[in-house]
Amino acid sequence: MNIRVTLDGQPVDATLNDHAVARDLVSLLPLSLDLEDFHQTERIAYPPRKLDTSGAPAPAAPKTGDLAYYAPWGNLALFHRDGDSASADLIVLGHVDAGDTERLANAEHITIEAAP
């Protein structure tokens, strides 16, 4: 699924995986969220409600650029470093190709919209 992602006012290429949790995220679009650092590995933000995780895909370790959802806290996570391991609580929703990890690591605001 194609989406439009903007980091700090600059558009980046992004796609969502085709599964139920990612489709639930699409139902919330457009989203405009402030990001904060979490463990110098990811930037996190909280959508207006928790996503429905029924039908979630098998766990996968997040990679740099992955947009993920951490179910226990209900937050989105944009990884600027590879994650340590796969977790059933972390659902990879898609991928953002920002061109360099510094851009991901320093992003303060994300806008996610449906692609035209």
Side-chain angles (χ1 to χ4, degrees):
M1 292 186 281
N2 291 324
I3 54 172
R4 184 181 359 206
V5 172
T6 306
L7 295 175
D8 296 331
Q10 299 296 315
V12 294
D13 293 331
T15 56
L16 282 183
N17 298 334
D18 188 14
H19 57 67
V21 185
R23 284 189 294 274
D24 194 32
L25 175 67
V26 169
S27 75
L28 296 176
L29 301 183
L31 284 175
S32 187
L33 305 166
D34 291 326
L35 296 166
E36 60 187 75
D37 181 63
F38 187 74
H39 289 298
Q40 299 178 341
T41 301
E42 59 197 272
R43 305 291 290 169
I44 64 170
Y46 292 86
R49 67 163 171 81
K50 288 189 171 190
L51 300 179
D52 180 355
T53 58
S54 55
K63 303 288 184 208
T64 299
D66 280 350
L67 180 64
Y69 178 69
Y70 186 63
W73 294 355
N75 69 281
L76 296 177
L78 179 60
F79 282 81
H80 56 86
R81 293 185 181 188
D82 289 351
D84 292 334
S85 61
S87 163
D89 291 329
L90 185 70
I91 301 159
V92 176
L93 300 171
H95 190 80
V96 173
D97 184 10
D100 75 65
T101 57
E102 283 299 310
R103 188 170 179 191
L104 293 171
N106 295 313
E108 294 182 1
H109 191 83
I110 187 170
T111 301
I112 309 169
E113 302 170 284

